[in-house]
Amino acid sequence: MTAPARLLSLLLLLGPLWATAQATQAPPVAPASPLPRLLAERQVLTRRYAAARAQRNSLFGLSDKPSKKDLQAVVDALQGIVNKDEQIVAVLNQTAQAAQNTAATLQSTSRDDRNVTADRLAEIQNQQLNVQERERRARARQLTLEDDLDAAQQARQRRDWTILGLGLACVGLFAWGRRRGR
């Protein structure tokens, strides 16, 4: 076998496998939720808050109280945490809304499927009743035709017996006429 023939046979063997692999590719993945990133950012802000709260840079270091700058850093860190919490709540609300939309869509689709199934079932039942009615009519027609056939066969049989009887009478008359005419 030549090299081009081998290549062609290999392609013919691998072609269906490649087509199957292309057809079974994974469906597109939904975009990742921003929630883990937001939670990680909140942890960083919480550590900054803890560090800002631990600062004690009062005037000349004589007191163990935080300075105005230290307090402002605490307030800024808390504001960052609050802002991050608002972002997290917004993401959770979006996720909940998406879940509600999905549930509503599934419910609507399920209802539509049930309606289509019920309609199709009613249609099939009507078809079944129509078929049963046609079968009943066909059976009644068949019985009528069988009765007509029996009546026609009996009439033919009577006619055949009458013809046979008349034929025998004719033969008898013919024989009687010949004997008499002799």
Side-chain angles (χ1 to χ4, degrees), residues 8-22:
L8 181 61
S9 64
L10 181 64
L11 287 176
L12 289 174
L13 288 173
L14 294 179
L17 293 175
W18 183 76
T20 303
Q22 292 296 321

Side-chain angles (χ1 to χ4, degrees), residues 10-173:
L10 181 64
L11 287 176
L12 289 174
L13 288 173
L14 294 179
L17 293 175
W18 183 76
T20 303
Q22 292 296 321
T24 58
Q25 286 181 349
V29 178
S33 172
L35 198 56
R37 177 185 52 84
L38 291 174
L39 290 174
E41 291 173 2
R42 187 184 189 284
Q43 284 180 342
V44 169
L45 291 173
T46 304
R47 284 192 293 265
R48 283 185 192 161
Y49 165 74
R53 201 160 167 245
Q55 292 293 320
R56 303 277 187 238
N57 294 323
S58 65
L59 187 62
F60 305 116
L62 298 176
S63 167
D64 195 25
K65 296 192 178 199
S67 68
K68 186 175 179 181
K69 186 176 176 185
D70 294 338
L71 291 175
Q72 185 61 43
V74 169
V75 168
D76 290 343
L78 283 175
Q79 187 61 46
I81 291 172
V82 168
N83 291 342
K84 198 54 67 179
D85 285 346
E86 288 174 356
Q87 289 176 357
I88 290 170
V89 168
V91 167
L92 290 175
N93 286 338
Q94 288 173 351
T95 304
Q97 185 62 39
Q100 286 176 347
N101 291 344
T102 301
T105 301
L106 288 174
Q107 186 177 17
S108 174
T109 303
S110 174
R111 188 176 327 115
D112 291 345
D113 287 348
R114 280 193 307 265
N115 290 342
V116 167
T117 303
D119 291 346
R120 184 68 182 134
L121 181 62
E123 183 180 320
I124 289 171
Q125 287 173 341
N126 285 337
Q127 288 176 353
Q128 181 182 12
L129 291 175
N130 289 339
V131 167
Q132 288 173 348
E133 180 62 22
R134 279 185 286 193
E135 286 177 354
R136 185 190 63 77
R137 287 181 186 170
R139 182 67 183 150
R141 184 169 180 241
Q142 182 182 4
L143 291 175
T144 302
L145 290 174
E146 286 175 0
D147 290 343
D148 290 348
L149 178 64
D150 285 342
Q153 285 176 342
Q154 287 176 359
R156 190 187 81 206
Q157 198 173 30
R158 270 186 253 127
R159 189 177 57 238
D160 289 346
W161 283 110
T162 303
I163 290 172
L164 179 65
L166 288 174
L168 287 175
C170 285
V171 169
L173 283 174

